[in-house]
Amino acid sequence: MAKSTMFLVGLVLLHYLVAMAEAKHLRYKDSKQPLNTRIKDLLDRMTLEEKIGQMVQIERNVASAEVMNNYFIGSVLSGGGSVPKPKATAKDWVDMINEFQKGALSTRLGIPMIYGIDAVHGNNNVYNATIFPHNVGLGATRDPQLVKKIGEATALESRATGIPYVFAPCIAVCRDPRWGRCYESYSEDHKVVQAMTEIIPGLQGDLPANWSNGVPYVAGNKKVAACAKHFVGDGGTTKGINEDNTVANRHELFSIHMPAYYNSIIKGVLTVMVSYSSWNGEKMHANRDLITGFLKNTLRFKGFVISDWEGIDRITSPPHANYTFSIEAGVNAGIDMIMIPHNYTEFIDGLTLLVKKNVIPMSRIDDAVKRILRVKFVMGLFENPLADYSLADQLGSQEHRELAREAVRKSLVLLKNGENVDKPILPLPKKASKILVAGSHADNLGYQCGGWTIQWQGQSGNNITTGTPILSAIKNAVDKETKVFYEENPSLDYVKSNDFSYAIVIVGETPYAETNGDSLNLTISGHGYETIDNVCSGVKCVVVLITGRPIVIQPYLEKIEGLVDDWLPGSEGSGVADVLFGDYGFTGKLPRTWFKTVDQLPMNVGDSHYDPLFPFGFGLTTEAHKATSEY
């Protein structure tokens, strides 16, 4: 009996010592272990509930430490305009995100969550952040190294707020400017878009030598995880209708819309977001052939695939009509993380039931969770899960604002410069008796930033964030003796009776995002055409367009002396004045074909019916410091 008791005590002691040793050395928590060892060790310890939790991304306004803990939530996001509080500081962001993170870390296995945000032209949800030009303007620069630097700055400003994951870049190839997301596309030409994927190593860091193809990479806690989006064909929908159908054969899809994904994966992009759109009638969120078959198996992408906002809901029409089917179709197609963002308990319950019924195989769940864990390990989240305040001074730093100003200068495209080459109007003289600045977009920081700025749809006004409206930049640039008059929409009589030396008219589109920006007429907002007509009929004028795409301008072109497209320049309006007044020359080239009439659309370079007002790649140049004499 005594021997038996001794044996049992010894056995219990042995189990205890083994458990203690294992607790001290959990391989998934040991950064010296190989990546795949850590992934397997953690996956083997996880319950179905914990695995499914990792696949869930919820909106911050339904998140809490308690929710993170109870449901093992893998990720939280800020949708457009979703912030801790109005004008939140870097500290406010860090404190909020760390609160969620502490909830995740308090779970049994302590798996950190990943926080994501739409930092699509700088950390654009955040007050005081540097707002860079939207992608269409960056496409006009033809400068991949500049775009890489913008990626580096955006990473720092995101990390300043505790955010390690950005839903950028958008590598759509917009083939029809009627699309409301066209400004999120660098160009109609996939080669330009491919070149601009250089933003990915800017965001994530340069890959080490001999890094395995398709394996994601992040170079430390001053970099962020990037997201190539929206897979695939989002820029090719019929009439540019957002979330609609891209009609194309396989060759067209793969030769126009797919190439930038090759570059993104070669550069180690961590995540890929699926498009709302369909390809030949099949919803991309349910397209197993392209998500699993091509992206994962053929291209050997090893990061995770994420849905768009309520993307699986929209597999059915109307959305959410059959959520069980949507879960089955989306997850079986190969989507790993689901941006839910609110009804997470319905998703968790639905997915759990589908797995238990073997409708979704356990192997599919394990594939999703392995990919999510791989990204989290690669990012160093297990070693450094909590953000701190050390990068707070990077938010809206002067260095980043100077970079944004440079990007604005290089994005300006000069479309017309005087009646002939012998009589250019640009650059403008800084010294003049008095000049007129007119137009709805001259003194409106929100308008020049466009959509995806502080709010999802953008805003009007000069108080939305920190920056320089173009009017202020003009006043700062001209000679101190030059009088600057501003009238938003002056009458022709006013213009003629004031003996202005020249006028600058700044008009364009009011902010929009996604479907709200879809347009069949592509016209200037408000009284823009009236302003052009009145001002340019009364005095020599330069028209500066603030647009996310080419717009109707041909009927007014004859009256306009100088025409410039500034796209959506962002917070640093001084970059516009730098070029208008000759401190720097015009160098930008059209990233898109400029149509004569909307009836020509879609029309892209290489089309048989190509008859543009200004062709793709067009852009007049000027020399710096060669302003014309005073008018």
Side-chain angles (χ1 to χ4, degrees):
M1 187 72 179
K3 282 185 179 178
S4 177
T5 304
M6 289 282 288
F7 175 75
L8 287 172
V9 169
L11 197 61
V12 170
L13 183 62
L14 181 64
H15 278 295
Y16 174 74
L17 291 171
V18 169
M20 285 294 290
E22 191 174 358
K24 283 183 178 176
H25 189 69
L26 295 168
R27 280 177 292 173
Y28 77 88
K29 289 192 173 181
D30 182 357
S31 61
K32 292 175 184 168
Q33 294 289 325
L35 177 59
N36 287 336
T37 301
R38 298 181 79 184
I39 294 168
K40 184 179 186 307
D41 181 59
L42 180 49
L43 192 71
D44 288 347
R45 298 172 191 275
M46 295 173 73
T47 64
L48 176 61
E49 190 180 13
E50 288 166 331
K51 289 175 180 178
I52 287 175
Q54 284 301 300
M55 297 172 67
V56 174
Q57 185 180 65
I58 62 173
E59 224 287 333
R60 57 155 288 282
N61 60 21
V62 297
S64 67
E66 186 179 27
V67 167
M68 303 302 292
N69 179 279
N70 290 345
Y71 295 95
F72 311 102
I73 301 296
S75 184
V76 182
L77 84 148
S78 278
S82 180
V83 298
K85 64 182 185 184
K87 299 187 177 181
T89 64
K91 183 180 184 299
D92 293 328
W93 280 94
V94 168
D95 289 347
M96 176 194 70
I97 291 167
N98 280 348
E99 186 66 21
F100 300 148
Q101 189 67 281
K102 286 170 185 173
L105 297 174
S106 67
T107 54
R108 181 178 73 92
L109 295 169
I111 304 172
M113 67 90 188
I114 182 172
Y115 197 98
I117 198 166
D118 283 284
V120 296
H121 62 141
N123 195 3
N124 48 261
N125 263 7
V126 177
Y127 185 76
N128 273 341
T130 309
I131 306 298
F132 292 94
H134 268 297
N135 286 358
V136 66
L138 298 182
T141 71
R142 301 294 202 277
D143 191 340
Q145 290 308 306
L146 173 69
V147 170
K148 182 179 182 180
K149 289 178 186 174
I150 289 171
E152 292 168 354
T154 301
L156 285 169
E157 296 208 16
S158 297
R159 284 286 192 171
T161 52
I163 298 169
Y165 178 26
V166 301
F167 307 128
C170 177
I171 54 172
V173 182
C174 174
R175 303 290 284 176
D176 194 321
R178 291 174 290 188
W179 186 35
R181 304 194 80 152
C182 202
Y183 65 77
E184 296 185 57
S185 168
Y186 293 107
S187 178
E188 72 187 42
D189 182 353
H190 69 83
K191 294 192 184 87
V192 175
V193 179
Q194 286 179 272
M196 295 306 172
T197 60
E198 196 59 19
I199 195 172
I200 291 170
L203 291 164
Q204 298 188 163
D206 291 310
L207 293 179
N210 303 318
W211 192 258
S212 297
N213 224 2
V215 177
Y217 177 76
V218 174
N221 59 8
K222 291 184 180 178
K223 298 295 184 179
V224 295
C227 180
K229 66 183 190 183
H230 309 82
F231 187 84
V232 61
D234 51 341
T237 59
T238 302
K239 294 184 180 179
I241 298 169
N242 193 42
E243 304 181 20
D244 207 60
N245 190 31
T246 296
V247 178
N249 62 37
R250 198 171 181 91
H251 172 74
E252 290 165 340
L253 186 80
F254 277 65
S255 62
I256 296 171
H257 300 283
M258 192 69 80
Y261 287 94
Y262 308 152
N263 300 78
S264 300
I265 292 165
I266 289 167
K267 291 173 183 180
V269 73
L270 269 77
T271 72
V272 171
M273 185 182 291
V274 183
S275 175
Y276 286 129
S277 59
S278 302
W279 176 40
N280 295 334
E282 183 179 356
K283 291 278 188 180
M284 276 307 310
H285 273 74
N287 194 316
R288 191 176 188 281
D289 173 50
L290 287 178
I291 297 171
T292 297
F294 190 74
L295 179 62
K296 290 183 173 181
N297 295 343
T298 303
L299 297 186
R300 303 178 68 80
F301 172 62
K302 296 292 191 292
F304 69 73
V305 176
I306 187 169
S307 81
D308 208 332
W309 177 284
E310 295 181 347
I312 66 165
D313 302 51
R314 303 186 201 188
I315 289 171
T316 60
S317 184
H320 208 80
N322 185 342
Y323 198 53
T324 302
F325 171 76
S326 291
I327 295 170
E328 176 191 342
V331 174
N332 274 339
I335 300 172
D336 304 310
M337 184 176 280
I338 313 299
M339 190 186 293
I340 293 173
H342 296 113
N343 58 321
Y344 56 92
T345 55
E346 183 186 7
F347 172 81
I348 289 168
D349 292 344
L351 181 53
T352 302
L353 188 62
L354 288 166
V355 174
K356 287 181 175 176
K357 286 183 172 181
N358 293 320
V359 176
I360 295 176
M362 198 66 203
S363 59
R364 173 73 274 274
I365 301 300
D366 285 348
D367 172 60
V369 178
K370 280 178 190 172
R371 291 168 176 276
I372 293 163
L373 294 179
R374 181 179 291 121
V375 165
K376 290 183 177 183
F377 280 125
V378 162
M379 292 179 70
L381 280 175
F382 282 81
E383 288 69 50
N384 296 293
L386 295 173
D388 59 40
Y389 311 126
S390 62
L391 294 173
D393 62 346
Q394 295 292 327
L395 190 67
S397 73
Q398 191 56 40
E399 183 182 354
H400 295 164
R401 293 191 184 282
E402 288 299 326
L403 177 64
R405 185 172 176 172
E406 177 189 352
V408 174
R409 291 195 293 263
K410 291 181 175 178
S411 70
L412 293 167
V413 179
L414 179 56
L415 298 171
K416 183 179 179 182
N417 192 14
E419 292 307 314
N420 56 64
V421 290
D422 298 323
K423 290 187 176 181
I425 188 171
L426 287 156
L428 294 165
K430 292 181 180 181
K431 191 168 186 179
S433 57
K434 58 180 182 177
I435 63 174
L436 172 65
V437 179
S440 53
H441 288 55
D443 192 26
N444 197 311
L445 185 64
Y447 282 6
Q448 73 191 47
C449 289
W452 291 111
T453 307
I454 306 300
Q455 298 289 336
W456 174 40
Q457 293 293 327
Q459 289 177 279
S460 175
N462 286 335
N463 298 319
I464 66 163
T465 191
T466 303
T468 305
I470 299 169
L471 177 63
S472 300
I474 291 170
K475 288 178 176 177
N476 292 336
V478 297
D479 187 88
K480 63 181 186 299
E481 301 296 324
T482 301
K483 293 177 181 174
V484 179
F485 292 77
Y486 173 62
E487 286 288 331
E488 184 172 325
N489 186 28
S491 66
L492 178 58
D493 286 345
Y494 173 85
V495 175
K496 284 185 170 180
S497 62
N498 271 283
D499 195 26
F500 293 112
S501 303
Y502 59 85
I504 304 170
V505 179
I506 307 171
V507 291
E509 297 182 297
T510 50
Y512 54 81
E514 301 193 46
T515 303
N516 286 9
D518 286 358
S519 171
L520 293 177
N521 55 27
L522 296 178
T523 51
I524 292 172
S525 302
H527 299 286
Y529 291 118
E530 181 187 335
T531 306
I532 292 171
D533 208 16
N534 288 346
V535 175
C536 297
S537 296
V539 67
K540 285 183 178 180
C541 74
V542 171
V543 173
V544 178
L545 300 175
I546 307 296
T547 67
R549 52 202 166 186
I551 45 81
V552 172
I553 198 67
Q554 187 188 31
Y556 301 86
L557 195 55
E558 196 173 321
K559 290 186 177 181
I560 298 169
E561 288 266 324
L563 179 62
V564 177
D565 200 313
D566 190 25
W567 313 108
L568 298 168
S571 59
E572 306 313 303
S574 296
V576 181
D578 286 342
V579 185
L580 289 181
F581 295 104
D583 292 336
Y584 294 82
F586 282 92
T587 57
K589 303 296 178 188
L590 281 181
R592 312 203 48 77
T593 297
W594 204 293
F595 57 85
K596 291 176 179 174
T597 71
V598 290
D599 296 335
Q600 295 175 293
L601 299 175
M603 178 176 64
N604 295 282
V605 64
D607 288 351
S608 57
H609 65 290
Y610 199 66
D611 182 27
L613 181 61
F614 301 109
F616 170 83
F618 180 80
L620 302 172
T621 58
T622 59
E623 295 295 321
H625 301 298
K626 288 192 178 178
T628 51
S629 59
E630 182 181 347
Y631 295 145

